[in-house]
Amino acid sequence: MGPSTAAVVTAAAPRAARPHRALPVSAALLVAVFASGCELGERDLPYGGAPSAQRIAGQRLLAQYQCGSCHAIPGVPIAQGAAAPPLGAFGRRSYIAGRVPNRPDTLAEWIVAPASLVPGTLMPAMGVSPADARDMAAYLLALE
Ligand code: HEC
């Protein structure tokens, strides 16, 4: 009797402890997901690090290239389009077009040649030079 009772007690103990351990772990995970804007904390958001001269140039170029015929863009008064997703708070977005990680290099590439990143996308290539695209990306990524 002695040895078998001991075996049952030690076997049951970890099972009983499991629910108490699992709860804090899943709660911590939930907090992490919400705190990081659902992108699991890979980077700080938004990118405000570009020089302000570059962001100001980008703001002007967004108007010049008429991105606003399709997009609404905060701080670009002429940009009131509703044909495409609004670009407000773009610095907080985790993904471009829901698919491509949103970073300065990928966003500039998207602006030059969207279909090179997302084949079949409805966003047209607008004939933007890489330098102009980098400036526009700097402005968009500073939007919070
Ligand atoms: C003819 C309409 C049109 C014009 C003009 C246009 N876009 Fe777009 N854009 C789109 C569409 C449609 C999408 C959505 C594409 C997708 O989800 O595949 C999009 C998506 C985007 C996105 C990603 C949006 C998101 O929610 O992830 C960015 C950033 C963007 N465009 C920037 C620009 C910039 C910068 C310009 C100007 C150089 C521009 N667009 C001009 C139609 C346009």
Side-chain angles (χ1 to χ4, degrees), residues 1-16:
M1 170 206 149
S4 63
T5 309
V8 167
V9 167
T10 44
R15 219 170 290 145

Side-chain angles (χ1 to χ4, degrees), residues 39 43 47 71 85 87 90-115 117-118 121 123 137 140-141:
E39 57 148 21
R43 60 174 167 82
Y47 289 103
H71 293 283
L87 303 183
F90 206 76
R92 295 182 177 278
R93 298 276 194 93
S94 297
Y95 296 99
I96 304 162
R99 301 202 202 173
V100 180
N102 186 19
R103 301 189 311 250
D105 57 335
T106 50
L107 184 56
E109 198 180 335
W110 168 267
I111 293 169
V112 171
L117 294 176
V118 177
T121 180
M123 162 126 168
L140 292 174
L141 288 170

Side-chain angles (χ1 to χ4, degrees), residues 23-88:
L23 187 63
V25 166
S26 48
L29 244 174
L30 270 178
V31 168
V33 166
F34 280 112
S36 64
C38 295
E39 57 148 21
L40 302 176
E42 283 160 30
R43 60 174 167 82
D44 292 327
L45 294 172
Y47 289 103
S52 64
Q54 186 180 21
R55 283 186 263 141
I56 290 164
Q59 187 178 22
R60 183 176 43 78
L61 289 163
L62 285 162
Q64 192 177 309
Y65 278 100
Q66 302 187 0
C67 310
S69 60
C70 293
H71 293 283
I73 309 173
V76 182
I78 203 173
Q80 306 280 349
L87 303 183

